[in-house]
Amino acid sequence: MAMIALKAPAIEVRVVDMNAARIAAWNSDKLPIYEPGLDEIVRQTRGRNLHFSTDVHGAIKSADIIFVAVNTPTKTYGVGAGRAADLRFIESVARTIAEHANGPKIIVEKSTIPVKTAETIKDILAANARGHRFEVLSNPEFLAEGTAMADLMSPDRVLIGGERTEGGEAALRKLADVYAHWVPRDRIITTNLWSSELSKLVANAFLAQRISSINSISALCEATGADVDEVANAIGRDSRIGPKFLKASVGFGGSCFQKDILNLVYLCEHFGLPEVALYWEGVVRMNDWQKRRFAGKIVRSLFNTVADKTIAVLGFAFKKDTNDTRESAAIAVCRDLLAEQARVVVYDPKVPADEIRADVLGHGVENERLVVAKSAYEAAEGAHAIALVTEWDEFKSLDYARIFQKMHQPAFLFDGRNILDLAQLKKIGFRASGIGKC
């Protein structure tokens, strides 16, 4: 919405939420989300044609186009628990729109949702229309956290799905005109509703699949003496494969990949496709195994015990350039190490200490073995090993020779693929003054 406000100054954009504290944060000097470039755009447009408010009902009445961007978490209860998407918030907002709409509206699904969700929205709206006409469109977002503003500024594509009716086609054109303020027309793709809804799930599933694939090969590389980075570079030079998402790691995290794959698994099971469901479920199983394998490698390397030893965990966000910790691999790694009676010291440049503790231990739970440091150097003080979990650029410029001097000897450094020494750090682009084993 901030990008639309920036690129289309004649369009009035109102972001509304019932949570007053959240809206207050968006109207403050410190935004609730860290995203490079977002703060500048919000400051430039807020109060001009971008407004944050709790007046949900008023915004519905005044809007021509309503974007539905509520949360769609994985269900934790009932039928489909652990796999299906929880659509209670989608249903709630559809009922609110139907109740307060005072004329025709275009409803745009922005949340990541299961295919056929538009039918639910249409049924609710039709039952409460009071003579008003509604058109439902699907417009999934393909940006990535950490590069969101660049992704929005120059997207690979904008996808809009709608019904192939006169009203549906008119709604498609109206939303396409919004994006056409800055997106070339040949990058604006229109499809039917179901293709658009499914495309978002499939895009995330394919990206996650590549990560699990290279992570599975990283285990084989360790067993055979091959270098997973060299293997990834070699296969990535094949134009049919390409180099993206071939970086071996502790595993994928974030709010989308696991949730969307599990949703896809549930859909396949629902439509009687168990073989397809098992295939995609394997991507999640491999990701969970990679996290356990990483923590297990730390334990094995430290002579099969980390009890009462200090492990520094550098990075807690699920990826660099965001403060989002949802499904972060660091959570699983910290929990596994704590279960082994290790003392875990965590440092992340953007994630607050109370959030780190809540994610690992649960809200209100204390454990003196979990410590949050204010710098990487503080975290490494007296540590027996360092686990590089998030690839923040800050970690590449650290003086690791100085860090190793602060640590217990022998000292170990793990980056999700290998046990590294100073020479290997230099090879992968980290600062490492001095050469030697660690």
Side-chain angles (χ1 to χ4, degrees), residues 186-422:
D186 61 358
R187 293 191 188 181
I188 301 175
I189 304 170
T190 58
T191 67
N192 70 39
L193 264 172
W194 322 129
S195 296
S196 178
E197 287 182 334
L198 188 57
S199 292
K200 175 63 174 178
L201 295 182
V202 173
N204 282 344
F206 270 59
L207 293 173
Q209 178 194 49
R210 284 175 67 94
I211 296 173
S212 280
S213 294
I214 196 63
N215 282 341
S216 72
I217 299 304
S218 73
L220 182 60
C221 286
E222 290 174 25
T224 60
D227 185 320
V228 69
D229 287 333
E230 293 176 347
V231 172
N233 179 57
I235 66 172
R237 296 293 184 96
D238 189 323
S239 60
R240 298 167 299 176
I241 297 174
K244 294 184 177 180
F245 282 76
L246 289 180
K247 183 75 168 176
S249 66
V250 187
F252 59 76
S255 63
C256 295
F257 282 0
Q258 178 163 309
K259 175 177 74 75
D260 291 353
I261 295 173
L262 292 173
N263 194 345
L264 188 62
V265 168
Y266 181 73
L267 283 172
C268 293
E269 292 174 340
H270 174 76
F271 288 106
L273 302 169
E275 292 83 4
V276 182
L278 282 171
Y279 176 81
W280 287 109
E281 192 174 23
V283 174
V284 176
R285 286 201 306 270
M286 177 56 63
N287 193 57
D288 291 339
W289 178 74
Q290 182 77 345
K291 297 173 190 176
R292 295 194 303 271
R293 193 172 75 87
F294 182 64
K297 182 165 61 175
I298 294 174
V299 175
R300 288 192 302 275
S301 300
L302 270 67
F303 316 110
N304 288 313
T305 180
V306 291
D308 299 323
K309 293 176 182 176
T310 299
I311 313 297
V313 174
L314 299 189
F316 195 82
F318 86 91
K319 64 185 289 190
K320 72 174 186 176
D321 292 333
T322 179
N323 60 351
D324 192 346
T325 64
R326 287 174 290 182
E327 301 294 341
S328 173
I331 299 173
V333 171
C334 289
R335 287 175 178 172
D336 286 350
L337 293 172
L338 288 171
E340 293 284 345
Q341 299 297 305
R343 179 176 181 266
V344 179
V345 184
V346 182
Y347 167 68
D348 188 279
K350 292 296 179 182
V351 182
D354 57 350
E355 188 171 338
I356 291 173
R357 294 190 185 95
D359 282 343
V360 176
L361 304 173
H363 289 281
V365 180
E366 295 293 332
N367 186 335
E368 62 181 11
R369 291 182 180 275
L370 179 65
V371 179
V372 181
K374 295 181 180 179
S375 73
Y377 293 104
E378 179 185 328
E381 187 78 44
H384 295 77
I386 295 174
L388 280 164
V389 181
T390 311
E391 289 192 330
W392 285 98
D393 290 342
E394 173 183 325
F395 299 156
K396 293 185 177 182
S397 61
L398 298 174
D399 186 342
Y400 283 92
R402 172 187 163 195
I403 283 178
F404 290 143
Q405 290 173 358
K406 292 173 171 285
M407 298 173 66
H408 278 282
Q409 301 301 320
F412 296 84
L413 177 66
F414 304 87
D415 77 334
R417 298 157 296 177
N418 301 298
I419 304 173
L420 300 177
D421 62 21
L422 292 174

Side-chain angles (χ1 to χ4, degrees), residues 145 160 165 205 209 350 356 411 435-436:
E145 291 183 56
I160 307 172
T165 62
Q209 178 194 49
K350 292 296 179 182
I356 291 173
I435 299 296

Side-chain angles (χ1 to χ4, degrees), residues 94-209:
R95 294 185 184 280
T96 302
I97 291 169
E99 181 182 355
H100 296 281
N102 57 352
K105 307 290 179 184
I106 298 173
I107 315 300
V108 183
E109 300 171 331
K110 212 50 170 150
S111 308
T112 302
I113 51 179
V115 64
K116 294 290 187 178
T117 299
E119 280 190 347
T120 301
I121 297 174
K122 289 191 294 181
D123 288 345
I124 293 171
L125 294 172
N128 301 275
R130 292 178 290 122
H132 303 314
R133 183 172 181 82
F134 299 99
E135 295 292 343
V136 179
L137 302 178
S138 169
N139 177 216
E141 193 55 73
F142 295 102
L143 59 81
E145 291 183 56
T147 59
M149 306 321 292
D151 296 341
L152 288 167
M153 191 79 71
S154 182
D156 293 332
R157 77 289 201 198
V158 171
L159 178 60
I160 307 172
E163 291 188 282
R164 297 307 192 186
T165 62
E166 183 178 348
E169 294 286 358
L172 281 168
R173 289 193 297 272
K174 189 163 187 175
L175 182 55
D177 287 342
V178 172
Y179 287 108
H181 281 84
W182 79 97
V183 180
R185 287 282 182 176
D186 61 358
R187 293 191 188 181
I188 301 175
I189 304 170
T190 58
T191 67
N192 70 39
L193 264 172
W194 322 129
S195 296
S196 178
E197 287 182 334
L198 188 57
S199 292
K200 175 63 174 178
L201 295 182
V202 173
N204 282 344
F206 270 59
L207 293 173
Q209 178 194 49

